[in-house]
Amino acid sequence: MNHGLKALAVGLALSVSSAFAGSGTTAEHIEAATAAYKKVAKETSYQWTVTVQAIKAAQKALDAGDDKGARELAHHAMALVEATRTQAKLESENWKMRVPK
Amino acid sequence: MKKIISHVAFGLLGLSVSAAAVAGPAEDRAAFQKFYENRFPDTPVSDFQNGVYSILPSARAQWEEIEEFPPYELAIERGEEIYNKTFANGKSLASCFGDDGAVRSQYPNWDKERGMVVTMELAINECLEANGEKPLKYKKGAMADVSAFMSYNSRGQMVNVEIPSDDPRALAAYENGKEHFYTKRGQLNFACADCHMYTAGNLYRADTTSPAFGHATSWPVFRSKWQAMGTLHRRFAGCHNNIRANPYKAQGEEYRNLEYFVTYMSNDLEFNGPAARK
């Protein structure tokens, strides 16, 4: 991952996590991450396998009664969604730099 | 002053990048092939059709021994049986592709009527369905076997993909495949070009990455990792999984356009499938 993308992803992850952490039930957080994942997939055709895994793991943790763990995983999934969105945005132009002349 | 220089330099960089991104297919291919010739000066151009073995002498001897008793031989035999099997309507795949099925060099092609790229595997299923038969799964099994039989009989044909200049939709499909090839995806943030162009020949863990020049000539392949045959679209999906990107649908538009681009980049090499790969 290049440094720009990494910094953006971390920044977005932190801002998303902090905006996200306060309110709503854990189930709502998982739903929000799922909806965001689907929205980015539809808008950009970019999807990361690890995002679905994180969402599934969050649901599994919630079902097992681990509310704190589930919430953390939901936030992680949301951060991955935001990083995917950032990647799609950057790559819409950056790919051109890799075409040999 | 410094600012002005950097702005001018940035502008020039932008211009050259834009020029590369909008160059026509012929210019793209010339630059693409030249890249590999410069990166691997000891590899004769015609040898790029042998994938990683064209640049990795240490593995080549072992591969040549494998090719003496090729692991795809049984797939060719199974494919021949399927190819000649009579459909319920009395026809067979030979009704669509001729007695020997040696049509590999006709694919992928641009279907002007439908405005889409048609690959050989797609054409096989379209033939089956047009004759009332069930289509085959695209990544492995019977499809890889039939494809192996047809590719074997096509050995020696030259790659000669055309991007018709009189149909802007063909150019758009090519450009879509090109963009896909150079675009980073997945959590690992890799483009096809990262592994198979700019770091081709480098080690990723224990594996040397193959050059993309020649990538499309040898399919389907018997891959040691799979211990089975697989099609090019199976490999595309495997690569996407490796970089933690969701794979696209085999024979969907995205992968057909990618195949159109990578095969066009290998124009003037020989089709030499099926093959054995690690």
Side-chain angles (χ1 to χ4, degrees):
Chain A
M1 191 181 274
N2 66 42
H3 293 303
L5 184 56
K6 201 183 276 181
L8 263 170
V10 170
L12 281 166
L14 289 173
S15 62
V16 167
S17 300
S18 55
F20 206 53
S23 60
T25 64
T26 300
E28 285 168 350
H29 286 215
I30 296 171
E31 272 174 36
T34 307
Y37 169 77
K38 286 180 180 168
K39 187 168 186 281
V40 169
K42 195 175 173 189
E43 285 172 1
T44 69
S45 90
Y46 282 61
Q47 296 172 61
W48 295 2
T49 52
V50 284
T51 314
V52 178
Q53 288 164 13
I55 291 169
K56 281 183 181 168
Q59 190 59 55
K60 201 175 167 187
L62 185 65
D63 293 344
D66 179 8
D67 192 79
K68 186 170 177 267
R71 187 170 285 235
E72 280 172 8
L73 283 162
H75 294 176
H76 178 58
M78 187 61 103
L80 292 171
V81 170
E82 290 306 323
T84 308
R85 194 197 306 274
T86 305
Q87 182 186 53
K89 192 175 174 190
L90 291 173
E91 285 302 301
S92 65
E93 283 301 319
N94 284 356
W95 71 269
K96 295 172 188 168
M97 290 190 289
R98 298 180 200 109
V99 181
K101 289 174 278 198
Chain B
M1 184 65 183
K2 244 183 181 176
K3 246 185 183 175
I4 295 169
I5 292 170
S6 74
H7 282 166
V8 169
F10 193 72
L12 286 173
L13 178 70
L15 275 177
S16 60
V17 163
S18 307
V22 297
E27 292 84 1
D28 284 347
R29 182 159 53 85
F32 184 92
Q33 295 187 356
K34 191 79 193 156
F35 176 89
Y36 290 97
E37 288 171 41
N38 290 338
R39 185 167 174 84
F40 303 106
D42 296 334
T43 300
V45 171
S46 63
D47 206 49
F48 279 106
Q49 67 197 30
N50 293 318
V52 75
Y53 306 111
S54 66
I55 59 162
L56 197 61
S58 58
R60 187 173 183 119
Q62 193 185 12
W63 169 68
E64 282 172 346
E65 279 184 23
I66 290 171
E67 286 284 340
E68 281 179 27
F69 298 97
Y72 49 77
E73 215 163 25
L74 292 174
I76 296 171
E77 286 173 19
R78 288 193 301 267
E80 184 173 12
E81 273 178 37
I82 298 166
Y83 190 82
N84 291 316
K85 193 178 164 197
T86 309
F87 300 151
N89 66 3
K91 293 186 176 179
S92 70
L93 282 168
S95 316
C96 298
F97 303 108
D99 285 346
D100 59 0
V103 296
R104 176 53 92 177
S105 64
Q106 295 174 26
Y107 300 95
N109 64 42
W110 179 251
D111 183 329
K112 196 171 182 178
E113 209 166 285
R114 291 187 286 171
M116 61 185 272
V117 173
V118 177
T119 64
M120 193 171 86
E121 285 75 14
L122 185 75
I124 290 168
N125 264 355
E126 287 183 344
C127 175
L128 288 170
E129 288 183 290
N131 286 288
E133 299 291 312
K134 263 178 76 176
L136 304 172
K137 289 185 177 170
Y138 280 120
K139 290 185 186 171
K140 53 188 175 181
M143 176 60 82
D145 292 345
V146 178
S147 177
F149 169 71
M150 294 169 74
S151 294
Y152 183 72
N153 286 346
S154 307
R155 276 186 174 181
Q157 293 177 355
M158 304 303 286
V159 182
N160 186 28
V161 175
E162 288 178 18
I163 318 289
S165 56
D166 62 344
D167 190 341
R169 295 171 304 169
L171 186 61
Y174 164 86
E175 287 293 336
N176 178 244
K178 173 179 159 184
E179 181 175 344
H180 189 114
F181 183 84
Y182 292 107
T183 296
K184 289 177 184 288
R185 293 165 196 281
Q187 191 189 27
L188 300 191
N189 204 37
F190 277 118
C192 306
D194 286 330
C195 293
H196 298 290
M197 189 165 206
Y198 294 107
T199 63
N202 287 12
L203 277 170
Y204 280 69
R205 292 187 178 162
D207 288 322
T208 304
T209 50
S210 54
F213 182 27
H215 255 177
T217 65
S218 56
W219 295 87
V221 305
F222 182 95
R223 203 161 170 239
S224 305
K225 185 184 171 186
W226 297 334
Q227 281 299 300
M229 299 294 294
T231 60
L232 178 59
H233 289 211
R234 181 179 182 186
R235 191 69 192 96
F236 284 162
C239 270
H240 278 142
N241 270 318
N242 287 346
I243 59 168
R244 301 178 191 166
N246 274 14
Y248 292 85
K249 196 178 161 198
Q251 296 301 330
E253 187 179 23
E254 193 78 19
Y255 279 171
R256 278 186 287 108
N257 290 348
L258 180 60
E259 181 175 342
Y260 197 39
F261 171 76
V262 293
T263 314
Y264 178 78
M265 287 296 114
S266 295
N267 268 7
D268 299 331
L269 294 180
E270 270 183 22
F271 278 109
N272 60 341
R277 293 288 184 268
K278 270 171 80 179

